[in-house]
Coordinates of all heavy atoms in Angstrom, one line a residue:
I1 N 116.0 -59.7 66.6 CA 116.1 -59.5 65.2 C 114.7 -59.3 64.6 O 114.4 -58.5 63.7 CB 116.8 -60.7 64.5 CG1 118.2 -60.8 65.1 CG2 116.7 -60.6 63.0 CD1 119.0 -62.0 64.6
L2 N 113.7 -60.1 65.1 CA 112.4 -60.1 64.6 C 111.7 -58.7 64.9 O 111.0 -58.2 64.1 CB 111.5 -61.2 65.2 CG 111.9 -62.6 64.8 CD1 111.1 -63.6 65.6 CD2 111.8 -62.8 63.3
Q3 N 112.1 -58.1 66.0 CA 111.6 -56.8 66.4 C 112.2 -55.7 65.5 O 111.6 -54.6 65.3 CB 111.8 -56.5 67.8 CG 111.0 -57.4 68.8 CD 111.2 -57.1 70.2 OE1 112.1 -56.3 70.6 NE2 110.4 -57.8 71.1
A4 N 113.4 -55.9 65.0 CA 114.1 -54.9 64.2 C 113.5 -54.8 62.8 O 113.7 -53.8 62.1 CB 115.6 -55.1 64.2
A5 N 112.9 -55.9 62.3 CA 112.4 -55.9 60.9 C 111.4 -54.8 60.6 O 111.5 -54.1 59.6 CB 111.8 -57.2 60.6
P6 N 110.4 -54.5 61.5 CA 109.4 -53.4 61.2 C 110.1 -52.0 61.1 O 109.8 -51.2 60.3 CB 108.5 -53.4 62.4 CG 108.5 -54.8 62.9 CD 110.0 -55.2 62.7
F7 N 111.2 -51.8 62.0 CA 111.9 -50.6 61.9 C 112.7 -50.4 60.6 O 112.8 -49.4 60.0 CB 112.9 -50.5 63.1 CG 112.2 -50.3 64.4 CD1 112.0 -51.4 65.3 CD2 111.6 -49.1 64.8 CE1 111.3 -51.3 66.5 CE2 111.0 -48.9 66.0 CZ 110.8 -50.0 66.8
E8 N 113.2 -51.6 60.1 CA 113.9 -51.6 58.8 C 112.9 -51.2 57.7 O 113.2 -50.4 56.8 CB 114.6 -52.9 58.6 CG 115.7 -53.2 59.5 CD 116.4 -54.5 59.3 OE1 115.9 -55.2 58.4 OE2 117.3 -54.9 60.0
K9 N 111.7 -51.8 57.7 CA 110.7 -51.5 56.7 C 110.3 -50.1 56.8 O 110.1 -49.4 55.7 CB 109.5 -52.4 56.9 CG 109.8 -53.9 56.6 CD 108.5 -54.7 56.7 CE 108.8 -56.2 56.4 NZ 107.6 -57.0 56.5
G10 N 110.2 -49.6 58.0 CA 109.8 -48.2 58.1 C 110.9 -47.2 57.6 O 110.6 -46.2 57.0
G11 N 112.1 -47.6 57.9 CA 113.2 -46.8 57.4 C 113.3 -46.8 55.8 O 113.5 -45.7 55.2

Side-chain angles (χ1 to χ4, degrees):
I1 297 176
L2 293 176
Q3 293 178 351
F7 292 100
E8 292 178 0
K9 291 182 179 179

